[in-house]
Amino acid sequence: MADIDAEQELRKDLAAAYRLMDLEGWSDMIFTHISARMPDEANRFLLNSYGLLPEEVCASNLVMVDVQGENADNSPASVNPAGFTIHSALHMARHDAHCVMHTHTMAGMAVSGLAEGLLPLNQTSMEFFNRVAYYDYQGIPLECDEREAIVAAMGDKNSMILRNHGLLTVGRTVAEAFYRMYYLNKACEIQVEMMQTGGKLLIPADHICEHVAQQASNPRYMAQSVDLIWKAMLRKLDRIDSTYRS
């Protein structure tokens, strides 16, 4: 695939992720963001234009920026400074973090404020057993000198709970980051629902939770699941509104 075709495919997928963010109810008006590294360009990535709602994002209005947050495509649009700090940190440090997704969902924010964090209360939750990083709240991440702390907290994990803030996932593709965010948020929703019952929480033994986590992270199973789910979600989007492709 030619470079221009690879970029257009990436723009389409990233725009789709923004539309799905809105469709799933994960939108925080203009303050949630997803970024993707440009094909074969380690120091440039795509991000939404600051001020657009997720439902307004399409392939053509995504902004290309460099690692300093400067526009790299002569666009007059700007990007969210806090979004730039978080996303650029992980893009620069992790060669496999081609896509970074960050949300402020109600369930994600609720669990981010719990001292115990995410608990392995359900099969979905167990997928993240010992596989979620935590980052202690330092304030709104506007300063680039916070990058090192974010990277250190993330380590080699693919999912993070930013305490008192929200959720974050990375992936080798937009589809993979979306898949992880969907189920990380679902795990948080399950936990909030269970805690609201007031009943005693039932947590399986560690070896059971680890077994489930290994099953869910099997590369062959993971790749097939991500691919099938992403194709299904794109079909759903196209039935609703295909303007994200424009």
Side-chain angles (χ1 to χ4, degrees):
M1 180 181 289
D3 287 348
I4 190 168
D5 293 334
E7 178 181 339
Q8 189 56 35
E9 185 70 11
L10 179 63
R11 284 179 173 271
K12 180 264 295 178
D13 280 349
L14 185 56
Y18 275 99
R19 298 295 185 94
L20 289 169
M21 175 187 285
D22 179 68
L23 195 63
E24 293 295 331
W26 302 344
S27 172
D28 183 13
M29 297 194 291
I30 64 171
F31 298 113
T32 41
H33 23 83
I34 318 167
S35 63
R37 181 185 290 128
M38 287 289 292
D40 302 319
E41 293 190 55
N43 296 321
R44 293 185 176 187
F45 56 96
L46 296 169
L47 197 64
N48 61 312
S49 177
Y50 195 27
L52 290 184
L53 296 168
E55 66 190 68
E56 298 176 302
V57 175
C58 60
S60 60
N61 62 26
L62 289 162
V63 183
M64 189 191 307
V65 296
D66 61 23
V67 293
Q68 301 305 319
E70 300 294 332
N71 286 25
D73 58 3
N74 298 314
S75 167
S78 61
V79 298
N80 185 327
F84 167 74
T85 301
I86 295 171
H87 291 247
S88 61
L90 294 169
H91 282 300
M92 291 166 65
R94 291 273 300 269
H95 72 278
D96 58 335
H98 291 293
C99 180
V100 181
M101 187 168 190
H102 174 46
T103 62
H104 305 144
T105 65
M106 191 63 72
M109 290 189 294
V111 172
S112 78
L114 296 175
E116 60 266 42
L118 185 67
L119 300 174
L121 297 170
N122 176 269
Q123 177 174 283
T124 298
S125 315
M126 292 177 213
E127 181 175 338
F128 299 95
F129 183 70
N130 286 339
R131 286 159 175 79
V132 176
Y134 290 87
Y135 180 66
D136 290 336
Y137 190 68
Q138 307 293 324
I140 300 174
L142 297 174
E143 306 300 329
C144 286
D145 60 6
E146 198 171 338
R147 285 171 168 169
E148 290 185 10
I150 293 171
V151 168
M154 190 69 166
D156 61 357
K157 292 183 170 64
N158 296 311
S159 302
M160 174 183 277
I161 293 178
L162 295 97
R163 292 192 182 277
N164 310 105
H165 187 169
L167 307 178
L168 183 144
T169 59
V170 302
R172 292 168 297 179
T173 62
V174 174
E176 196 171 87
F178 175 83
Y179 173 93
R180 290 192 173 112
M181 181 60 72
Y182 181 91
Y183 286 107
L184 179 59
N185 188 68
K186 185 66 66 178
C188 290
E189 290 178 337
I190 291 167
Q191 182 163 328
V192 171
E193 288 290 322
M194 283 190 176
M195 294 179 77
Q196 286 178 346
T197 68
K200 183 178 179 180
L201 299 178
L202 178 62
I203 300 178
D206 284 0
H207 74 277
I208 297 296
C209 297
E210 177 60 27
H211 176 60
V212 174
Q214 289 183 16
Q215 288 178 311
S217 61
N218 178 283
R220 185 173 180 179
Y221 169 80
M222 179 81 171
Q224 182 184 48
S225 297
V226 169
D227 181 59
L228 291 175
I229 288 173
W230 187 245
K231 288 177 179 175
M233 296 307 286
L234 291 186
R235 292 195 302 271
K236 182 175 183 177
L237 266 185
D238 285 332
R239 289 193 296 271
I240 297 170
D241 181 0
S242 63
T243 58
Y244 71 93
R245 294 177 177 270
S246 63

